[in-house]
Amino acid sequence: MSCPPKSVFFEGVIQLRPSFEYLDRSKEKKPDTNDEGDSQDEDEEKPTALLVRFAKKETDHAKAQRLLSYQHMQKQMAEEPWTDVNYFGINHAKSVDERNLLFCQEMNTEVLEFDPSSSNYVERLMPSTAETSSASSPQPSNFTTMAHVRKLDIIDQVKTLLIHAKLMSFSEICSVLHPPANEQTVLKCIQQHAVLVQGSWVVKSELVYPKGKTSAFSCSTSETLCRARDYILYRFTQSRTIQRNDIISMVKLTENDVNDLIQQVATRSVNVGWEFKLPYDENFVQR
């Protein structure tokens, strides 16, 4: 921007803004079907002694057109408050001070990225063997032992076994429980936490994916994963094998999510697809 010499003085400042009112006029010329319908209704009504008129309610379409009009935009621009600013030239002291803040003030100072010495840093990376062997390795949160399971009551034993195994036959569940329980009692406990697929019991989806849990591979919620898993279990009730591509097209999940769901209850067979892990338990079904 070029500045006039000091001898030239400004007599005034004029602000120019564009005006496109003709755009709104073109919209006003279009007939409004709502107005025509209202006028016809008024003509058909019989005249009365007292005629009460109410202001016409603005429709959603009319409101949207009004908000998109240039007149409304011009009104908003006029209502926008002005902000006072101070300008400092390139050689002004204020500009020089702000520009100097972009440069390092202590070029000769050595900044260390790590506080410990090299020997301490190596020791932290590779601790001594004695310390490693003495410290017991922490167990994962989902780790449990049979000794711990057998201390629980029957219903909690069944629930814990199903959550960790994902699917078990009825005979396997009865053989693991301690102390042995009546088959009818065990069956009632199983029905609370599992569903029957191919004669075997598969843990319910809400126990595998409780509320609030998300997928490890995507942002899918627990509700979405439960619906997809229930659909997979339903397909296995109809057939021993399923095709992964068919599942992906129906549940609309990522390939990793679908693989994780299917691998819980099935194994992959070459040229066949995904086959249910356990054989069909005909003895239990015929009971």
Side-chain angles (χ1 to χ4, degrees):
M1 178 184 294
S2 60
C3 297
K6 296 182 179 180
S7 60
V8 179
F9 296 94
F10 292 102
E11 296 183 357
V13 178
I14 300 176
Q15 180 184 5
L16 300 179
R17 292 187 178 181
S19 177
F20 302 103
E21 296 182 356
Y22 62 89
L23 296 177
D24 296 335
R25 294 172 188 168
S26 61
K27 294 183 180 179
E28 294 176 357
K29 293 180 180 179
K30 295 181 180 180
D32 193 351
T33 56
N34 295 331
D35 294 340
E36 294 179 358
D38 295 341
S39 60
Q40 292 177 1
D41 295 338
E42 292 177 1
D43 295 339
E44 295 176 358
E45 292 178 357
K46 296 181 180 180
T48 56
L50 295 177
L51 182 61
V52 180
R53 293 182 179 272
F54 297 93
K56 181 182 176 182
K57 184 179 179 181
E58 187 179 24
T59 62
D60 295 338
H61 178 72
K63 183 178 180 180
Q65 292 294 328
R66 179 176 60 82
L67 296 177
L68 293 175
S69 64
Y70 175 74
Q71 185 178 3
H72 179 72
M73 296 175 61
Q74 193 176 26
K75 180 181 178 182
Q76 287 184 323
M77 292 175 60
E79 294 175 354
E80 185 73 18
W82 288 86
T83 302
D84 297 332
V85 296
N86 297 324
Y87 172 75
F88 300 97
I90 188 173
N91 296 324
H92 194 275
K94 184 72 173 178
S95 300
V96 175
D97 293 340
E98 293 293 332
R99 190 164 56 251
N100 288 335
L101 296 177
L102 301 175
F103 298 94
C104 180
Q105 304 298 326
E106 300 179 359
M107 298 295 296
N108 298 325
T109 303
E110 182 180 1
V111 180
L112 297 177
E113 186 176 358
F114 302 101
D115 294 335
S117 60
S118 57
S119 58
N120 293 335
Y121 179 69
V122 173
E123 186 177 356
R124 290 184 182 182
L125 292 178
M126 296 182 296
S128 59
T129 308
E131 295 178 357
T132 306
S133 59
S134 60
S136 58
S137 58
Q139 297 177 346
S141 58
N142 60 349
F143 180 84
T144 187
T145 61
M146 288 303 302
H148 173 71
V149 173
R150 289 176 177 176
K151 293 179 181 179
L152 305 174
D153 53 14
I154 296 298
I155 188 171
D156 289 334
Q157 287 189 45
V158 172
K159 180 180 179 181
T160 305
L161 291 172
L162 288 170
I163 290 176
H164 286 79
K166 299 298 186 295
L167 76 159
M168 299 179 69
S169 64
F170 183 78
S171 58
E172 289 177 342
I173 297 175
C174 293
S175 62
V176 174
L177 295 178
H178 182 80
N182 182 271
E183 290 187 355
Q184 294 297 328
T185 304
V186 176
L187 183 59
K188 291 181 180 180
C189 297
I190 295 175
Q191 290 174 344
Q192 297 180 27
H193 306 297
V195 293
L196 187 64
V197 180
Q198 295 288 333
S200 299
W201 291 97
V202 183
V203 64
K204 291 184 177 180
S205 300
E206 53 265 29
L207 295 179
V208 181
Y209 301 104
K211 189 175 182 180
K213 184 177 181 180
T214 57
S215 170
F217 306 100
S218 63
C219 298
S220 301
T221 61
S222 59
E223 291 80 7
T224 304
L225 296 174
C226 287
R227 288 195 297 267
R229 189 174 184 271
D230 291 340
Y231 177 74
I232 293 173
L233 298 181
Y234 165 75
R235 291 291 299 270
F236 275 120
T237 60
Q238 307 298 315
S239 175
R240 288 282 305 172
T241 59
I242 61 174
Q243 300 298 325
R244 185 185 61 182
N245 293 335
D246 297 340
I247 302 299
I248 294 177
S249 62
M250 290 298 297
V251 300
K252 307 300 182 182
L253 289 177
T254 62
E255 183 176 342
N256 291 332
D257 285 332
V258 174
N259 285 340
D260 183 61
L261 294 174
I262 297 178
Q263 288 173 0
Q264 296 177 14
V265 294
T267 55
R268 186 176 181 181
S269 300
V270 181
N271 299 328
V272 176
W274 291 87
E275 186 177 4
F276 196 75
K277 282 185 177 181
L278 299 181
Y280 184 78
D281 193 350
E282 188 174 357
N283 295 330
F284 177 79
V285 175
Q286 291 180 354
R287 288 186 181 183

